[in-house]
């Protein structure tokens, strides 16, 4: 497996693990629909944060 | 709900087996999901040759590294598999059950899988305590000034 593909698939898998475990353990009595919405919301938040970090690292490369 | 001293054994087993606390208290589907996903993450990391490496705790030692210590502390929250993974560090290569190759090209990525698994196991453990065993404080009534 190529390096980029392995890192990208690892990143996606680990982000899914973090979001699903965090949401399922925190909101214990929520309905499945609400759980899914919260999970997707946290997924978007984490993906945005990671994208911002990636951009920051990319531009730091020009310094 | 069981509180106080009686929580020690279930919390200890929850450390060894992520999700056990949820299964024991009636949320067996969620507990099973935590067990499968956290152990799978750890085993994927082990397949990439990630392993629990015991850091140097002596402050004056030249190999002392705070990041390694924090990584170790986080990783060991997935109790059962982290004990298995640390066996070669403690007793030598002959007792290695999980793959152990510190210089393997993907070992750092594997360690990151172990870190995520340990961190989320910690979160599940804390939530087990909060939901099922912690003393519930009575709501404080607001008084008008």
């Amino acid at each position: 497996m190529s390096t980029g593909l392995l890192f990208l698939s690892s990143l996606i898998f680990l982000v899914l693990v973090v979001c699903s475990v965090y949401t399922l353990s925190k909101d214990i009595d929520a309905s499945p629909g609400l759980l899914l919405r919260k999970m997707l919301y946290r997924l978007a938040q984490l993906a945005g944060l990671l994208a911002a970090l990636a951009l920051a690292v990319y531009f730091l490369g020009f310094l | 709900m069981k509180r106080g001293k009686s929580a020690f054994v279930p919390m200890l087993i929850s450390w060894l087996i992520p999700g056990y606390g949820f299964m024991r208290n009636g949320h067996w589907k969620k507990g099973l999901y935590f067990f499968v996903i956290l152990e799978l993450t750890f085993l994927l990391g082990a397949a990439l040759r990630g392993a629990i490496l015991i850091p140097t705790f002596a402050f004056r030692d030249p190999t002392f590294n705070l990041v390694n210590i924090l990584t170790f502390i986080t990783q060991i929250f997935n109790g059962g598999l982290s004990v298995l993974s640390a066996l070669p560090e403690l007793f030598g290569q002959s007792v290695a059950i999980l793959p152990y190759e510190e210089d393997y090209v993907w070992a750092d990525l594997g360690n990151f899988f172990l870190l995520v698994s340990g961190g989320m196991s910690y979160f599940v453990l804390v939530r087990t305590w909060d939901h099922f065993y912690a003393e519930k404080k009575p709501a404080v009534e607001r008084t008008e000034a």
Side-chain angles (χ1 to χ4, degrees), chain B residues 7-76:
Chain B
F8 178 75
V9 173
M11 288 303 290
L12 183 70
I13 302 174
S14 297
W15 171 68
L16 287 168
I17 305 167
Y20 170 78
F22 277 76
M23 287 189 247
R24 188 173 191 266
N25 289 286
H27 295 266
W28 66 271
K29 277 185 190 170
K30 280 181 182 167
L32 190 66
Y33 176 77
F34 294 144
F35 174 75
V36 170
I37 202 76
L38 294 173
E39 301 297 61
L40 177 70
T41 306
F42 197 102
L43 290 173
L44 280 173
L48 293 166
R49 306 294 190 273
I52 305 285
L53 304 173
I54 297 171
T56 309
F57 290 96
F59 184 68
R60 294 184 193 284
D61 195 288
T63 58
F64 176 84
N65 186 332
L66 190 60
V67 174
N68 287 349
I69 294 174
L70 293 174
T71 302
F72 171 73
I73 291 170
T74 308
Q75 286 175 335
I76 58 167

Side-chain angles (χ1 to χ4, degrees), chain B:
Chain B
M1 300 288 169
K2 293 195 171 101
R3 313 243 177 238
K5 263 185 156 180
S6 61
F8 178 75
V9 173
M11 288 303 290
L12 183 70
I13 302 174
S14 297
W15 171 68
L16 287 168
I17 305 167
Y20 170 78
F22 277 76
M23 287 189 247
R24 188 173 191 266
N25 289 286
H27 295 266
W28 66 271
K29 277 185 190 170
K30 280 181 182 167
L32 190 66
Y33 176 77
F34 294 144
F35 174 75
V36 170
I37 202 76
L38 294 173
E39 301 297 61
L40 177 70
T41 306
F42 197 102
L43 290 173
L44 280 173
L48 293 166
R49 306 294 190 273
I52 305 285
L53 304 173
I54 297 171
T56 309
F57 290 96
F59 184 68
R60 294 184 193 284
D61 195 288
T63 58
F64 176 84
N65 186 332
L66 190 60
V67 174
N68 287 349
I69 294 174
L70 293 174
T71 302
F72 171 73
I73 291 170
T74 308
Q75 286 175 335
I76 58 167
F77 276 101
N78 191 333
L81 284 180
S82 65
V83 169
L84 285 184
S85 181
L87 283 178
E89 282 278 296
L90 296 167
F91 305 109
Q93 284 273 25
S94 58
V95 290
I97 296 170
L98 296 171
Y100 182 79
E101 200 178 335
E102 238 183 280
D103 301 325
Y104 188 69
V105 66
W106 297 118
D108 283 341
L109 183 62
N111 276 330
F112 193 67
F113 273 72
L114 267 54
L115 187 70
V116 171
S117 176
M120 295 323 289
S121 296
Y122 164 78
F123 196 79
V124 170
L125 200 62
V126 169
R127 288 295 163 190
T128 301
W129 173 262
D130 282 349
H131 289 312
F132 308 118
Y133 299 108
E135 294 280 346
K136 297 279 188 282
K137 288 181 183 169
V140 180
E141 281 183 34
R142 287 188 174 200
T143 51
E144 296 296 324

